[in-house]
Amino acid sequence: MFKKTFTVGPIQCNCSIIACDETKEAIVIDPGGDSDKIKTIIDENGLKPKYILHTHAHFDHVLGAKALKMAYSDAKICLNKGDEWLYNNLDLQCGLFGMKSEPVAPIDIFIEDEEEFKIGNLNTKTIHTPGHTPGSLCFCVADKENIVFSGDTLFNGGIGRTDLWGGSYDDIIKSIKNRLLNLDNDTTVIPGHGSNTSIWQEKKQNPFLV
């Protein structure tokens, strides 16, 4: 499996690209800006984006989606229906932070809980984890290691903010404890911002969860 995580956009969102080594089919997770940087990595590695997955629709996680869709027209933009209203209010979101935005590209697929996305011999499974936003999602993939891309739900030693539009502290704690902490202890957590962690580490050290 090809896997690369790097920061993009104004708030240094972790964008990740995973791909099947054989078919080169790829998934881009949270293209939050710097679309040229993302496209360079895709093109230099001969990848073929099939899906653009969003963990949620805050501006810093979606700003690069339209440019990627224009560059790779076969790639499907995917989001949970619960965050459609946030996605459609990208202009307002950016305005609150003194930034400009472009019109968004249409959503191709509204992702359901436990929906799977296949690229070559790799399979990515969705977990709906409301709390940071109503439509927050995490994406699990297993290859030589178990990985969960947790968006802004679970961080290294922290959890996502719940004081923004649609946030709920009770919901995010339930999502993490009932859905994410049930994953294998050795699962690597790649969050939406900051450094990687593991399910075991968060069970033992996260002050919001112990």
Side-chain angles (χ1 to χ4, degrees):
M1 177 178 72
F2 174 92
K3 175 175 67 70
K4 188 173 183 65
T5 299
F6 48 97
T7 57
V8 297
I11 310 184
Q12 296 294 280
C13 164
N14 284 332
C15 174
S16 295
I17 301 173
I18 59 174
C20 171
D21 287 329
E22 295 179 9
T23 67
K24 298 297 184 179
E25 288 182 330
I27 291 173
V28 181
I29 301 173
D30 284 350
D34 294 332
S35 56
D36 287 343
K37 180 178 181 179
I38 300 172
K39 288 187 286 185
T40 295
I41 293 170
I42 291 170
D43 294 343
E44 285 183 346
N45 290 280
L47 305 181
K48 297 177 277 190
K50 187 174 181 181
Y51 300 107
I52 300 168
L53 302 184
H54 293 299
T55 60
H56 63 292
H58 282 152
F59 76 94
D60 56 317
H61 291 253
V62 304
L63 280 175
K66 182 177 181 180
L68 289 185
K69 179 69 173 182
M70 293 176 66
Y72 311 101
S73 58
D74 290 339
K76 305 297 186 185
I77 296 179
C78 309
L79 181 75
N80 182 266
K81 185 74 171 179
D83 273 13
E84 182 182 19
W85 61 285
L86 276 172
Y87 188 78
N88 289 336
N89 278 286
L90 186 61
D91 282 343
L92 180 56
Q93 288 193 60
C94 289
L96 292 173
F97 286 82
M99 299 174 52
K100 294 181 179 179
S101 78
E102 297 180 0
V104 295
I107 300 299
D108 296 301
I109 298 172
F110 286 107
I111 311 174
E112 302 287 344
D113 184 37
E114 299 191 358
E115 188 165 353
E116 297 182 355
F117 294 90
K118 187 173 179 61
I119 49 169
N121 56 18
L122 291 176
N123 201 48
T124 301
K125 184 176 180 179
T126 303
I127 305 175
H128 183 211
T129 52
H132 181 60
T133 65
S136 284
L137 303 170
C138 297
F139 302 109
C140 298
V141 62
D143 188 48
K144 293 180 180 179
E145 61 177 324
N146 296 316
I147 302 168
V148 59
F149 298 91
S150 64
D152 286 4
T153 295
L154 179 63
F155 294 124
N156 187 339
I159 63 172
R161 291 178 62 174
T162 58
D163 59 338
L164 303 172
W165 294 346
S168 167
Y169 181 83
D170 289 343
D171 285 350
I172 201 171
I173 293 298
K174 288 178 184 176
S175 291
I176 294 170
K177 289 186 173 181
N178 295 340
R179 304 301 304 275
L180 296 185
L181 296 191
N182 289 333
L183 299 174
D184 291 345
N185 284 334
D186 65 354
T187 301
T188 297
V189 179
I190 300 180
H193 302 271
S195 60
N196 294 354
T197 181
S198 70
I199 294 297
W200 175 254
Q201 181 174 328
E202 297 316 301
K203 283 181 178 179
K204 295 299 180 181
Q205 299 181 11
N206 192 309
F208 294 93
L209 306 174
V210 296

